Amino acid sequence: MFVSLVALVAILPVFVNAQSPVYGQCGGKRFQALVGCSAGPTTCAAGSTCTYSNPYYSQCLPGGGTTKTTTTTPVTGPTSTPHTTSTAPGGSQTPDAGNPFLGHNIYLTPFYAAEVAAAAANLTGTTQTKALSVAKIPTFTWFDTVAKVPSLGTYLADASAQGKASGTPMIVEIIVYDLPDRDCAAAASNGEFSIANNGQANYFNYIDQLVAQIKQYPDVRVIAIIEPDSLANLVTNLNVSKCANAQTTYLACVTYAIQQLNKLGNVYSYLDAGHAGWLGWPANLSPAAQLFTSLYKNAGSPSFVRGLATNVANYNSFSTNSPDPITQGNANYDELHYINALAPVLQSAGFPSHFIVDQGRSGVQNIRQQWGDWCNVKGAGFGTRPTTNTGVSLVDAFVWAKPGGECDGTSNTSAARYDYHCGLSDADQPAPEAGTWFQEYFVTLVNNANPPL
Ligand SMILES: *[C@@H]1O[C@H](CO)[C@@H](O)[C@H](O)[C@H]1NC(C)=O
Ligand SMILES: *[C@@H]1O[C@H](CO)[C@@H](O)[C@H](O)[C@H]1NC(C)=O
Ligand SMILES: *[C@@H]1O[C@H](CO)[C@@H](O)[C@H](O)[C@H]1NC(C)=O
């Protein structure tokens, strides 16, 4: 009797403290099974409420109580910009004012450098020299499977060391790209998770793993593009049943991604916004702005969401005097016109309207038969180099989001991920699976680079 009481007393305080932190898990089938016979921590820290997401996941989200106010001494950031602390939902810090690319160097990922080096080894002469120079141009890394996430830790450790050695802090550029039922309106980039098979919980776990890596390197700034094509598909492709079925899951997953990344205080996010030939049609601008804004506000207006990324993996010009004939009279015939048309709608709705624009493969124009053609377009060339000198205050940077040489999709009509766009006459063939190296295409990009390499 006495022994039991002591044991009970010892256990009690633990049980009382069994409370999940803000954004922690507070319910879900697997979670409660893991916790064992007693009910898991289904109560949440002060200022948050346990919110049901799906049968496998409930989460402590800010709100529903008195938010605990914390004050900390402002710390001096690596660029001597003062950081302050806010209690905004989902944020423990406020972002630096202004363009997050400034005052930093961008990390060159060894993975792409190795792809380029292998490609260059098969080339000779000036083509080889030009090809090798591509490895020095900063390019985003796509985290398109959960298995790739540990490599982010390696890059961050490397970037942290480089930043300390040079005295200039580093940026690591990532693309968050692993939604369940990914690429709902096409086939080439179908992903590893499906909604029917626990996809949302798997996605949350993928985000948790990214967060766990980034958290270890607060001195490295991460610039993240969030889920290419996903929200644009929800604007225009809800008549595709896979997109309609994915709608609530995409929204829940993108919300989770931006909230979790926001908490870190060193990740600046840009939501993917398609491109001029997609959401830039006048009829799509307002629906797009409404979707971005409602998602953002429902997520608690995460302060490190900086704006939108456009033209990711696409071929559009940033600004041209002669519209490509495929633009068929759309007044927003290039990315700048699209951005200038979208920004005021976003601003009046309360969405942060800063942009980054992929120009990695936009060096050559007038090469497509239709504006919707996106797969390994023949005759493309590397485009304007990454820079913050965009000439437009709305645009933080031109970036290379798509690593040139990595394939858009297979041209093998028997492959499970074959998409007809990759078999069109303006698509370079034969093409391997999406994401794998496409040597002949890389050589084309090198030779057609504009400005030249
Ligand atoms: C380079 O050439 C070798 C030998 O032909 C081949 O095995 C390898 O796949 C090629 N690499 C690339 C990147 O094309
Ligand atoms: C969806 O609607 C668009 C625009 O009207 C149309 O072009 C497309 O073919 C439709 N797709 C399906 C699967 O119905
Ligand atoms: C095309 O895909 C099918 C199905 O996966 C495969 O059996 C075949 O070998 C592939 N063909 C080529 C040329 O890669």
Side-chain angles (χ1 to χ4, degrees), residues 362-438:
S362 296
V364 183
Q365 295 300 305
N366 300 9
I367 52 176
R368 286 173 283 181
Q369 288 173 356
Q370 308 250 6
W371 210 354
D373 295 355
W374 49 263
C375 194
N376 307 314
V377 175
K378 273 186 196 165
F382 283 117
T384 308
R385 310 298 180 262
T387 179
T388 54
N389 295 324
T390 64
V392 180
S393 62
L394 286 171
V395 181
D396 286 340
F398 298 143
V399 298
W400 283 19
K402 172 79 186 183
E406 292 183 3
C407 189
D408 292 323
T410 179
S411 59
N412 179 350
T413 53
S414 312
R417 301 204 302 171
Y418 174 70
D419 187 288
Y420 79 91
H421 288 97
C422 304
L424 294 174
S425 61
D426 61 0
D428 203 353
Q429 298 166 48
E433 282 286 343
T436 62
W437 194 255
F438 189 177

Side-chain angles (χ1 to χ4, degrees), residues 76-89:
T76 303
T79 51
S80 299
T81 310
H83 290 257
T84 51
T85 303
S86 84
T87 53

Side-chain angles (χ1 to χ4, degrees), residues 240-331:
V240 178
S241 63
K242 190 178 171 191
C243 293
N245 292 337
Q247 186 177 23
T248 51
T249 307
Y250 276 16
L251 293 174
C253 288
V254 171
T255 300
Y256 187 76
I258 60 177
Q259 287 180 329
Q260 297 304 308
L261 294 171
N262 197 64
K263 281 198 302 174
L264 291 164
N266 59 330
V267 183
Y268 291 74
S269 295
Y270 295 84
L271 299 177
D272 183 83
H275 59 90
W278 189 350
L279 301 184
W281 290 98
N284 295 336
L285 290 170
S286 281
Q290 275 165 24
L291 179 64
F292 295 132
T293 308
S294 68
L295 175 109
Y296 171 75
K297 289 189 170 167
N298 289 338
S301 303
S303 53
F304 284 82
V305 171
R306 172 77 181 162
L308 300 174
T310 80
N311 201 43
V312 170
N314 211 279
Y315 301 84
N316 294 343
S317 167
F318 175 66
S319 176
T320 180
N321 294 324
S322 53
D324 189 322
I326 56 170
T327 60
Q328 291 178 331
N330 183 353

Side-chain angles (χ1 to χ4, degrees), residues 186-207:
S189 296
N190 288 348
E192 61 183 345
F193 298 145
S194 79
I195 292 169
N197 188 16
N198 210 27
Q200 183 169 313
N202 288 335
Y203 185 81
F204 283 17
N205 171 56
Y206 157 80
I207 295 296

Side-chain angles (χ1 to χ4, degrees), residues 68-380:
K68 203 174 144 214
T69 308
T70 53
T71 47
T72 58
T73 316
V75 292
T76 303
T79 51
S80 299
T81 310
H83 290 257
T84 51
T85 303
S86 84
T87 53
S92 59
Q93 290 178 302
T94 53
D96 284 357
N99 186 345
F101 285 84
L102 297 178
H104 290 69
N105 290 328
I106 303 178
Y107 178 68
L108 300 168
T109 57
F111 182 80
Y112 187 58
E115 286 182 322
V116 168
N122 281 11
L123 303 172
T124 54
T126 55
T127 307
Q128 182 184 52
T129 311
K130 289 176 182 176
L132 283 169
S133 71
V134 175
K136 303 258 158 49
I137 300 169
T139 305
F140 279 68
T141 302
W142 294 58
F143 289 90
D144 56 355
T145 61
V146 75
K148 287 187 184 164
V149 174
S151 64
L152 177 59
T154 311
Y155 300 167
L156 291 164
D158 225 5
S160 174
Q162 288 177 17
K164 284 179 182 127
S166 73
T168 302
M170 300 294 290
I171 284 171
V172 170
E173 297 178 324
I174 69 169
I175 301 205
V176 176
Y177 191 58
D178 205 11
L179 282 177
D181 287 11
R182 191 174 68 198
D183 205 18
C184 65
S189 296
N190 288 348
E192 61 183 345
F193 298 145
S194 79
I195 292 169
N197 188 16
N198 210 27
Q200 183 169 313
N202 288 335
Y203 185 81
F204 283 17
N205 171 56
Y206 157 80
I207 295 296
D208 292 346
Q209 293 198 32
L210 285 174
V211 165
Q213 296 291 347
I214 298 168
K215 200 177 231 166
Q216 296 173 58
Y217 304 96
D219 58 322
V220 179
R221 174 165 293 184
V222 173
I223 304 268
I225 294 175
I226 308 296
E227 295 295 347
D229 297 349
S230 62
L231 299 179
N233 273 323
L234 299 187
V235 176
T236 65
N237 288 324
L238 288 177
N239 61 342
V240 178
S241 63
K242 190 178 171 191
C243 293
N245 292 337
Q247 186 177 23
T248 51
T249 307
Y250 276 16
L251 293 174
C253 288
V254 171
T255 300
Y256 187 76
I258 60 177
Q259 287 180 329
Q260 297 304 308
L261 294 171
N262 197 64
K263 281 198 302 174
L264 291 164
N266 59 330
V267 183
Y268 291 74
S269 295
Y270 295 84
L271 299 177
D272 183 83
H275 59 90
W278 189 350
L279 301 184
W281 290 98
N284 295 336
L285 290 170
S286 281
Q290 275 165 24
L291 179 64
F292 295 132
T293 308
S294 68
L295 175 109
Y296 171 75
K297 289 189 170 167
N298 289 338
S301 303
S303 53
F304 284 82
V305 171
R306 172 77 181 162
L308 300 174
T310 80
N311 201 43
V312 170
N314 211 279
Y315 301 84
N316 294 343
S317 167
F318 175 66
S319 176
T320 180
N321 294 324
S322 53
D324 189 322
I326 56 170
T327 60
Q328 291 178 331
N330 183 353
N332 301 318
Y333 53 79
D334 59 25
E335 294 304 298
L336 181 56
H337 280 89
Y338 169 41
I339 286 166
N340 280 334
L342 185 59
V345 196
L346 292 171
Q347 279 156 0
S348 62
F351 185 89
S353 51
H354 303 282
F355 295 82
I356 55 175
V357 182
D358 188 0
Q359 288 293 284
R361 303 189 301 182
S362 296
V364 183
Q365 295 300 305
N366 300 9
I367 52 176
R368 286 173 283 181
Q369 288 173 356
Q370 308 250 6
W371 210 354
D373 295 355
W374 49 263
C375 194
N376 307 314
V377 175
K378 273 186 196 165

